[in-house]
Amino acid sequence: MRDNFLLRLTAALLALAPGVGCMERDAAMGEVEASVPAASAPCVYFKSLAPFLPEELEGFTVARTQGSTGKYGEVSVSEAERLFTRGEGREVKVRIVDTTMGEKIGQAIRDAAERAKGRAPSDPAAPIHWKDAVGFVRYDAEESLAEANLLVGDRFVVAVTSRGFPGTVEVRRVARGIDLAGLARLQ
């Protein structure tokens, strides 16, 4: 029961964080600046997360890139996101989040991946256990919506979602292409 609550809380936080109470938002995210010193902010500044977003995906167009760093009560959140689109209603979104809730969210991701560990590698919902990341994958066939949520470096959450694709192959491919080792080293 508690795990479901944390997963719902994670989803809500990741879904709501971009627009409410942002200290700064940058739709273009041109040049990446140095991160805010750790002493003045508990999260990495969003412009330091942006370089870990895929620059391009073959056959897709970048629809938007955005990011924000903010504080919502006692919770601090930084996130960078890029949306890719392709005809036929297909899209892929990559979001990287650093938050003071990272420990709870990370545990929920680890728990979900552990519960799914017995699934066959060919199962679309098989968990991800890579050198630099652990995560869970979901697929809603009715909506053609796939989602991979990864914990990277015991700190960062990487969420890759796709719409309009059968199965989870696309979210896994995109997640595999992210510099997870570099992100894990980010401080």
Side-chain angles (χ1 to χ4, degrees):
M1 184 72 131
R2 184 171 185 268
D3 292 338
N4 288 336
F5 169 76
L6 289 176
L7 291 174
R8 286 193 311 275
L9 179 62
T10 300
L13 176 64
L14 295 176
L16 297 176
V20 183
C22 295
M23 291 168 43
E24 183 169 343
R25 183 177 210 88
D26 185 346
M29 277 205 287
E31 284 296 310
V32 175
E33 299 172 6
S35 64
V36 176
S40 63
C43 294
V44 172
Y45 188 54
F46 77 92
K47 288 187 178 185
S48 294
L49 298 173
F52 296 97
L53 295 170
E55 288 292 321
E56 59 185 33
L57 296 178
E58 187 176 333
F60 286 83
T61 301
V62 175
R64 75 172 183 267
T65 300
Q66 60 189 23
S68 63
T69 296
K71 188 165 181 160
Y72 314 92
E74 294 300 312
V75 177
S76 294
V77 178
S78 284
E79 60 93 27
E81 176 183 283
R82 186 162 289 141
L83 175 66
F84 300 88
T85 59
R86 184 163 87 186
E88 309 111 38
R90 293 182 174 188
E91 66 180 40
V92 173
K93 181 172 32 174
V94 179
R95 177 182 278 179
I96 302 172
V97 178
D98 184 20
T99 177
T100 53
M101 290 188 61
E103 190 174 320
K104 289 180 183 179
I105 294 170
Q107 189 60 51
I109 291 172
R110 279 191 291 277
D111 291 348
E114 188 60 32
R115 281 192 305 274
K117 200 171 188 173
R119 294 180 183 258
S122 60
D123 185 329
I128 293 174
H129 290 278
W130 296 335
K131 179 182 177 194
D132 298 303
V134 62
F136 66 93
V137 182
R138 294 188 290 205
Y139 182 66
D140 180 340
E142 190 174 302
E143 299 289 325
S144 294
L145 180 66
E147 176 183 8
N149 289 284
L150 307 171
L151 177 63
V152 178
D154 283 329
R155 177 176 180 171
F156 302 100
V157 175
V158 175
V160 180
T161 58
S162 70
R163 183 175 304 280
F165 292 89
T168 61
V169 172
E170 192 67 16
V171 293
R172 290 174 188 276
R173 181 185 69 81
V174 171
R176 186 62 90 179
I178 297 170
D179 179 10
L180 300 173
L183 180 60
R185 288 189 301 271
L186 188 63
Q187 294 297 317

